[in-house]
Amino acid sequence: MRLRTACPATPRAWTVELRSHAGGLVLICRHCPHGTTPITAASARSAALAHLARHVRSDLRPPHLRICQCHERGCRWHPRHRGCAGPIRLLLACERGGRLWRLTDACSACAAATARAAVVPDTVLARAPQPPATARRHRRSKGPGERIRVREMLSYLAAALPENTSAAARLLALQCALRMNTHMRVRLSKGVMRSLRLNAASGPWHELEHARWLRTTPGGAANEIAAELLDLTLLGQAPARPDRRRAADWALRASSSSAVRAIGPLPRLASVYLAASTDPESGTGLGDLEQMARACGTRTAELLGTLDQLVAAGLLGSWQACPDSGDLQWTSSERRWNGPQPRSRHNSPEA
Ligand SMILES: [Zn+2]
Ligand SMILES: [Zn+2]
Ligand SMILES: [Zn+2]
C-alpha cells in the first residue's frame, strides 16, 4: 500500500450564481449536488457569501498547500499581467452586476488584477492549523499592522456590503468587524458611538440590518449597543482580538479629528481610506479612483468633490487623478506622516 501525499484533492475555488426564477431568485452552487435554494432579493448577497464561506470553512488548509487557483484556470478572470507573484490570499470576486460570486485562492498579483474583487482580510479568516514552532511569536503591536488591517477590511467591506450602503454605515461596519469577538458579537461603547456620531436608533444600524449584515441584540448594558454580525466570511479570529481592536481605535482616530467630524460621514470615511493607504515613510499614496469610490459607497464624480473638501479642511495636502487610467495620487497634509496618533486622555474619543 502506498501512502498518499497531502496533495490538494479539491480546488479551492467556489462559485455561486443568483438566477431569476418564477416568483423570485434562486441560488445555484456549482459545487453542491442538490439543486437550488430559493432566496429573496434582500438576502441574496448575504446568502451567496454565507454559502461560499461554508465551502471555505470545510476546506481549511495550511498555507503551503494553497496555490493560485486563478493560474490553474489559465488566468481567465482578469486582464493579462506579468504572471503570478506574492502570497496566496483568499479572494472574493463579483461578476455580472452581483449575479455571480466567486471565492478563490489567488496569488497577490492575480488578486490585484481582478476587477470587482477584494482580498478577504487574513485578520479575520479562520486559519488552518499552523505548525507549533511558528505558532507563537512576539506580536507586533504598532505601526503598519493597523494601517494594513484597516485597508484590507475597507476593501473587503467594499465587496461584501451592498453598493448603495452609505458612508456612515460603512464606518459603523468597519468598527463592528474589527471589534467583534469569536462569536461574531460586538458591543460598541457610548464613547465609540459618539465618535461615530451614531446612536442606537440611527439609520446606519438599520441599513446594516436591512442588508442582513448584522442584527442588533437586546441585553447590552445601558452605555453600549450590542449586535451580532451575520457575515459568515468573517468567521474565525486570527490574530488575537487586541490587534484588531487597536486597528479599530486607529480607524476611529482617523475619522474623528475635529476638522473631519465637521464635514460629514463621506469625508470621514474617505479620510480613513486615505490614511490607511498612505505610505508612512513618504506621506504619499497611490490608489485607484474607482476602487476608493466603491469602498466609500459613492461615485467617482462625488469623490472628487470630497477630496477637494479634505484639502480645503487641511486634512489632505494635495491630490491628482488621471482620467484615463483612473490612478489617484495624493500627499498627506503632514510632512512626515505616521497615521493618526493617540490623543491625550482628556480629549480622547473613548473618554
Ligand atoms: Zn455549494
Ligand atoms: Zn490569474
Ligand atoms: Zn496567480
Side-chain angles (χ1 to χ4, degrees), residues 112-351:
T114 308
R116 321 280 335 209
V119 165
V120 177
D122 272 349
T123 45
V124 289
L125 176 68
R127 288 191 173 167
Q130 303 278 329
T134 61
R136 283 220 168 255
R137 305 286 313 242
H138 287 296
R139 283 205 317 269
R140 270 189 317 183
S141 60
K142 294 267 177 209
E146 290 142 16
R147 196 190 323 269
I148 290 168
R149 263 180 211 126
V150 170
R151 186 164 71 218
E152 291 191 339
M153 190 60 79
L154 282 172
S155 157
Y156 171 73
L157 292 173
L161 292 174
E163 279 168 38
N164 58 2
T165 305
S166 71
R170 286 171 194 274
L171 282 166
L172 175 61
L174 177 67
Q175 289 297 318
C176 289
L178 290 172
R179 289 177 193 274
M180 72 173 187
N181 67 13
T182 48
H183 303 290
M184 299 189 78
R185 289 175 184 275
V186 66
R187 292 167 184 277
L188 293 194
S189 71
K190 277 268 168 67
V192 171
M193 299 293 289
R194 258 200 311 278
S195 295
L196 289 170
R197 313 205 126 191
L198 286 176
N199 59 58
S202 74
W205 287 106
H206 291 308
E207 263 188 73
L208 296 178
E209 285 193 318
H210 186 71
R212 315 236 169 161
W213 194 80
L214 60 68
R215 153 170 77 213
T216 51
T217 50
N223 60 350
E224 62 185 22
I225 290 165
E228 182 188 359
L229 272 56
L230 305 175
D231 183 345
L232 288 177
T233 319
L234 291 173
L235 271 176
Q237 294 300 315
R241 197 173 170 210
D243 284 356
R244 285 185 292 116
R245 272 211 183 130
R246 269 194 293 273
D249 289 339
W250 188 93
L252 203 60
R253 288 196 295 276
S255 69
S256 60
S257 79
S258 52
V260 190
R261 282 169 84 135
I263 49 179
L266 178 55
R268 277 193 284 146
L269 181 56
S271 206
V272 178
Y273 185 95
L274 293 171
S277 311
T278 298
D279 171 17
E281 288 301 314
S282 65
T284 62
L286 180 65
D288 181 276
L289 203 54
E290 210 164 292
Q291 237 166 44
M292 180 177 176
R294 235 182 353 257
C296 293
T298 186
R299 296 180 185 285
T300 49
E302 201 183 339
L303 185 60
L304 300 182
T306 303
L307 293 168
D308 282 339
Q309 243 180 314
L310 291 176
V311 172
L315 295 157
L316 183 63
S318 64
W319 66 274
Q320 59 179 47
C322 170
D324 295 330
S325 65
D327 284 348
L328 173 69
Q329 288 180 39
W330 67 90
T331 54
S332 90
S333 54
E334 289 161 49
R335 195 167 291 167
R336 186 175 168 79
W337 203 88
N338 289 310
Q341 299 300 309
R343 280 181 248 157
S344 57
R345 185 170 264 278
H346 67 276
N347 62 355
S348 150
E350 300 265 14

Side-chain angles (χ1 to χ4, degrees), residues 14-16 27-33 51-52 55:
W14 299 272
T15 306
V16 294
L27 186 145
I28 301 165
C29 175
R30 297 184 184 173
H31 319 276
C32 288
H51 190 100
L52 290 171
H55 276 298

Side-chain angles (χ1 to χ4, degrees), residues 68 70-71 74-76 78 81 84 107 110:
C68 180
C70 181
H71 179 259
C75 283
R76 289 178 280 112
H78 55 75
H81 63 73
C84 288
C107 74
C110 289

